[in-house]
C-alpha cells in the first residue's frame, strides 16, 4: 500500500532485516534444491526442466523482493512502475523469442527435406 | 524585461565566448559544450574508421590480395566496423545534435543530469581509448560481431581489450538515453505538451528507450565472452556445455535495435528539415511521432533475421521473417508522410534539404532491400555476401550520415553562430549522394552475383564492379572532406548567423545564435502546435480563395 504520510519511502530497519533474512533463506533453498534431481522423482515429460524451473522460480522471487522493498518500488509513482513493467516485458521478449528457437528445433525441416 | 533589450544590443555573452580556459571545457556541465566535445570525439573516430575504409577499398580494387595479407585485412574490416558503429554511428546524432538541441527544443536550461552528461562523454572517450590501444596492439579479427566460438576460443588478437572498450562505451550510451528520457518527461517548458514536441525530440525519446533497454544486454553478452575466454565458463562453447547460437541471439537482441539507435535520430532530423524547407506543416505529425515508438518496440522482435542460416529453428526463422517485414510498416509511414509534406509545399533546395531528400532516396533503397532480406529464401541466397554489406551501409551509414550532415548543416548556425558558404555546401551534398551510391550500388550487384563479404581476394569477374565501388568511395571521401573544410573555415570567416536563419519554428530558433549559457533569457511558454508554417505563404497566389 502506498504510504502517503511517508513520501520518501523510508521504511523501518526491521523491514530491511526481515527481507534480508528472506533472501538468505531463499539462497539456502537454491543450494538445497540443487541436490535434488527432480527428473528422477517426477514423470519425465517433454523436457527435464524441473530443476531449472525451480531455480528460476526462486531467483525470480528474490528479484521481486529486492525490487519491491530494497528498491522502494512499492512507494514509487505509477510512471516508475510502468517503466519497470516495460523493462520486464522486453526482458521477456528476449527470453520468449530465444526459447521459441530452442523449443522448436526440429519441428519443421528445411523445405524439401 | 530591460535585460533582454540590453542583451540584444551589447556584444552578447554566449556559451562559447564566456570562458576560454581548457578547464572550462573539460569540466563543463553545459549540454552545449558537451555536444561540442562529443563532436570532436566522434569526428576523430569517424576519420580513423574512414581511413580503414580507404584501405579496404584500395585492397579490393584488384582481385589479388596485393596490399595486405588476409590476416591484416581481417583486422582492418573489423576495426572499421567497430569504430564506425560503436564510436561514430551510435553516438553521432544523439550525443552531438541531441545533446545540443533537446534542452533547447523543450525550453530547458540543460539536460536533467548535467554531471551524468559529462560522465557519459568521459566514458565514451575512455571506451574509445581502450579500443584504440587494442588496435595499435594488434587489433582483432573477429568482425565487429564477435561471433563465438571464434571470439571466445580461436581469435588471437586483443579481443578482451576491445570488448572492455565497447563495454565502457555502452554505459555512455545508456547514460545519454537516460538523461534524454528524464529531460523529456520532466523539463518541458510550460505549454509544451507531448504532442507539441518537435519530432526530433520524439525520435530521440524512442532512441533513448532502445539505448536504455538494449545496451545492458550487449554489455552482459560481452562480459560472458570475456568470462568464457578467460575462465572457460561454458556459455557459448559446446565443449563446456554452452551453445554458440545463444551468442547470436544475445548479440542481435541489442544489435538489431542498435540499427534504430542509428537511424531513428536521423529520421527525427529529416522530419524537421522536410517541414521547414517545404514551408508547410508536417503531414501526419501523430503518425510520425508514434511510428518512432512503434519502431523502438518492434525493433526488438526481429533479431532472428540474422540467424536464418545459423541453425536457428525453421519455425523461429519464419516468425522472425514475418516480424521483420512488419517493422517496415512504421518506417514506410514516415517516408509517406515526408513525401506528403513535400506535396504542394514551397520546397527550397537549401543544403540541409538536399541531405533530407538524399536521405529519403538512400533510406528507400536500404529499407526495401531490408524487406527482401527479411524473406527467408532470398536471405539464404545472399547471406554473408556483399548484398548484405550494401544493404546495411544504405540503412545505417547512408541514411544516418545523410541525417547527421543534414542536421549539422541545419543547426550549424545555431551551434556556432556562423553561416557557411551556400554554394560549395550544396555541391558537397550532391557529391556525398553520388559518391555514396556509386560506392554501394555495385555491392548489391556483387552480392547478388555471389561475392562473399570479408575476403581480401575475389574471383576476377567481380573486378569491374569492385573498381566502380572503390572509385565511388573516393568521390564519397571528397564529399565528406568538403564539409570539414568549409565548416572549419566558417568558424573564423563565416558570416555571423542571425537567431533564425531558416525562418524555422521551434524553440531553439527563438534564442540567440549561439545561445547564451542558460539557453533562454526568459523561460519560453508554448502556445501553439509545432511546425505552424502557414501553408503556402511563399506563394500567395496558390492560397485558396476565402482564406
Ligand atoms: Cu537486423
Amino acid at each position: 500500500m502506498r504510504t502517503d504520510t511517508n513520501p520518501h519511502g523510508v521504511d523501518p530497519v526491521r523491514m530491511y532485516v526481515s527481507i534480508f533474512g528472506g533472501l538468505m533463506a531463499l539462497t539456502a533453498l537454491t543450494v538445497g534444491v540443487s541436490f535434488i534431481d527432480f527428473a528422477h522423482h517426477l514423470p519425465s515429460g517433454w523436457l527435464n526442466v524441473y530443476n531449472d524451473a525451480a531455480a528460476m522460480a526462486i531467483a525470480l522471487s528474490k528479484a521481486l523482493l529486492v525490487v519491491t522493498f530494497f528498491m522502494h518500488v512499492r512507494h514509487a509513482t505509477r510512471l516508475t512502475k510502468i517503466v519497470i513493467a516495460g523493462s520486464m516485458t522486453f526482458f521477456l521478449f528476449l527470453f520468449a523469442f530465444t526459447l521459441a528457437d530452442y523449443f522448436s528445433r526440429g519441428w519443421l525441416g528445411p523445405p524439401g527435406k | 524585461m530591460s535585460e533582454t533589450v540590453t542583451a540584444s544590443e551589447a556584444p552578447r555573452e554566449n556559451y562559447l565566448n564566456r570562458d576560454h580556459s581548457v578547464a572550462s571545457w573539460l569540466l563543463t556541465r553545459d549540454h552545449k559544450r558537451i555536444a561540442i566535445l562529443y563532436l570532436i570525439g566522434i569526428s576523430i573516430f569517424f576519420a580513423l574508421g574512414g581511413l580503414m575504409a580507404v584501405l579496404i577499398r584500395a585492397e579490393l580494387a584488384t582481385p589479388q590480395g596485393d596490399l595486405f595479407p588476409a590476416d591484416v585485412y581481417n583486422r582492418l574490416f573489423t576495426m572499421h566496423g567497430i569504430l564506425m558503429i560503436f564510436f561514430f554511428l551510435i553516438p553521432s546524432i544523439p550525443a552531438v545534435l541531441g545533446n545540443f538541441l533537446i534542452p533547447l527544443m523543450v525550453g530547458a536550461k540543460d539536460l536533467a543530469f548535467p554531471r551524468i552528461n559529462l560522465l557519459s562523454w568521459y566514458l565514451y572517450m575512455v571506451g574509445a581509448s581502450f579500443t584504440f590501444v587494442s588496435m595499435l596492439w594488434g587489433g582483432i579479427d573477429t568482425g565487429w560481431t564477435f561471433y563465438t566460438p571464434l571470439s571466445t576460443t580461436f581469435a588471437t588478437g586483443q579481443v578482451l581489450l576491445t570488448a572492455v572498450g565497447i563495454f565502457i562505451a555502452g554505459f555512455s550510451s545508456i547514460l545519454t538515453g537516460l538523461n534524454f528520457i528524464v529531460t523529456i518527461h520532466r523539463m518541458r517548458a510550460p505549454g509544451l505538451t507531448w504532442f507539441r514536441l518537435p519530432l526530433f525530440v520524439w525520435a530521440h525519446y524512442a532512441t533513448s528507450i532502445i539505448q536504455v533497454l538494449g545496451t545492458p544486454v550487449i554489455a552482459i553478452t560481452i562480459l560472458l565472452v570475456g568470462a568464457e575466454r578467460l575462465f572457460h565458463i561454458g556459455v557459448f562453447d559446446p565443449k563446456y556445455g554452452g551453445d554458440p547460437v545463444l551468442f547470436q541471439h544475445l548479440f542481435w537482441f541489442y544489435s538489431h535495435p542498435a540499427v534504430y539507435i542509428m537511424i531513428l535520430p536521423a529520421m527525427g532530423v529529416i522530419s524537421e528539415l522536410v517541414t521547414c524547407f517545404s514551408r508547410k506543416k508536417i503531414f501526419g505529425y501523430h503518425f510520425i511521432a508514434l511510428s518512432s515508438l512503434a519502431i523502438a518496440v518492434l525493433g526488438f522482435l526481429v533479431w532472428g533475421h540474422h540467424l536464418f542460416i545459423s541453425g536457428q529453428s525453421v519455425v523461429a526463422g519464419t516468425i522472425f521473417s514475418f516480424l521483420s517485414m512488419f517493422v517496415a510498416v512504421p518506417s514506410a509511414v514516415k517516408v509517406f508522410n515526408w513525401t506528403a509534406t513535400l506535396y504542394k509545399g514551397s520546397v527550397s533546395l537549401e543544403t540541409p534539404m538536399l541531405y533530407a531528400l538524399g536521405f529519403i532516396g538512400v533510406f528507400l533503397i536500404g529499407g526495401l532491400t531490408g524487406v527482401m532480406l527479411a524473406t527467408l529464401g532470398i536471405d539464404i541466397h545472399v547471406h554473408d555476401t556483399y548484398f548484405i554489406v550494401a544493404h546495411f551501409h544504405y540503412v545505417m551509414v547512408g541514411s544516418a550520415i545523410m541525417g547527421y550532415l543534414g542536421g549539422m548543416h541545419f543547426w550549424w548556425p545555431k551551434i556556432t553562430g556562423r553561416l557557411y558558404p551556400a554554394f560549395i555546401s550544396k555541391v558537397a551534398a550532391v557529391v556525398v549522394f553520388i559518391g555514396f551510391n556509386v560506392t554501394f550500388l555495385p555491392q548489391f550487384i556483387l552480392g547478388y552475383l555471389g561475392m562473399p563479404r570479408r575476403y581480401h581476394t575475389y574471383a576476377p569477374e567481380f573486378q569491374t564492379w569492385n573498381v566502380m565501388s572503390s572509385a565511388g568511395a573516393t568521390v564519397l571521401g571528397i564529399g565528406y572532406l568538403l564539409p570539414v573544410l568549409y565548416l572549419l573555415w566558417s568558424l573564423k570567416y563565416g558570416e555571423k548567423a542571425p537567431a533564425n536563419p531558416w525562418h524555422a519554428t521551434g524553440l531553439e530558433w527563438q534564442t540567440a545564435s549561439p545561445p547564451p549559457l542558460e539557453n533562454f533569457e526568459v523561460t519560453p511558454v508554448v502556445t501553439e502546435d509545432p511546425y505552424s508554417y502557414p501553408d503556402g505563404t511563399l506563394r500567395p497566389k496558390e492560397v485558396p480563395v476565402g482564406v
Side-chain angles (χ1 to χ4, degrees), chain B residues 247-527:
Chain B
F247 174 83
Q248 298 185 25
H249 277 298
L250 295 175
F251 178 83
W252 289 112
F253 179 80
Y254 165 77
S255 295
H256 182 83
V259 173
Y260 300 114
I261 298 180
M262 307 172 213
I263 191 91
L264 274 171
M267 289 169 153
V269 170
I270 303 311
S271 298
E272 301 291 322
L273 302 186
V274 165
T275 173
C276 175
F277 294 103
S278 303
R279 314 306 310 169
K280 206 179 138 205
K281 199 181 178 95
I282 196 146
F283 187 89
Y285 169 88
H286 291 82
F287 276 90
I288 298 184
L290 296 176
S291 66
S292 291
L293 289 184
I295 288 175
V297 174
L298 287 172
F300 274 103
L301 304 178
V302 301
W303 78 82
H305 59 223
H306 297 272
L307 285 76
F308 283 161
I309 66 154
S310 52
Q312 174 182 250
S313 84
V314 179
V315 176
T318 313
I319 297 172
F320 280 124
S321 169
F322 170 76
L323 289 169
S324 302
M325 292 183 193
F326 201 70
V327 81
V329 175
S331 306
V333 163
K334 286 183 193 282
V335 174
F336 285 130
N337 281 303
W338 293 325
T339 319
T341 307
L342 294 171
Y343 178 66
K344 287 200 173 168
S346 301
V347 177
S348 57
L349 297 177
E350 306 290 343
T351 314
M353 187 59 160
L354 291 179
Y355 282 110
L357 296 174
F359 175 97
I360 296 177
V362 167
F363 180 71
L364 196 69
I365 297 177
L368 288 178
T369 50
V371 179
M372 284 173 76
L373 290 170
T375 314
L376 277 162
I378 298 181
D379 184 75
I380 288 167
H381 176 61
V382 297
H383 190 92
D384 266 349
T385 68
Y386 263 87
F387 195 90
I388 307 288
V389 176
H391 159 72
F392 71 69
H393 276 87
Y394 265 88
V395 178
M396 289 161 27
V397 183
S399 306
I401 292 186
M402 292 283 175
Y404 176 67
L405 288 176
M408 280 312 270
H409 283 84
F410 189 54
W411 284 291
W412 185 259
K414 180 57 63 186
I415 296 172
T416 64
R418 299 288 180 155
L419 299 175
Y420 50 83
F423 179 72
I424 179 88
S425 63
K426 288 183 193 178
V427 171
V430 175
V431 171
V432 167
F433 184 77
I434 294 173
F436 183 84
N437 283 292
V438 176
T439 308
F440 292 105
L441 266 181
Q443 298 187 6
F444 277 122
I445 299 163
L446 280 169
Y448 208 80
L449 293 174
M451 177 169 161
R453 62 191 283 207
R454 295 178 167 173
Y455 284 87
H456 76 315
T457 57
Y458 53 83
E461 66 260 32
F462 295 138
Q463 190 175 10
T464 315
W465 298 111
N466 270 302
V467 168
M468 202 186 276
S469 179
S470 294
T474 315
V475 177
L476 185 58
I478 295 168
Y480 289 154
L481 198 63
L482 283 173
V484 176
L485 297 178
Y486 63 73
L487 288 179
L488 285 177
W489 176 89
S490 79
L491 287 179
K492 200 159 165 58
Y493 305 103
E495 222 180 291
K496 287 237 162 44
N500 189 357
W502 312 110
H503 306 291
T505 65
L507 293 178
E508 78 271 28
W509 302 108
Q510 293 179 18
T511 188
S513 303
L517 177 66
E518 295 198 322
N519 292 347
F520 299 95
E521 310 269 337
V522 182
T523 303
V525 177
V526 181
T527 51

Side-chain angles (χ1 to χ4, degrees), chain A residues 43-59:
Chain A
S44 141
W46 176 42
L47 275 170
N48 291 326
V49 294
Y50 304 115
N51 276 78
D52 295 346
M56 289 305 279
I58 299 171

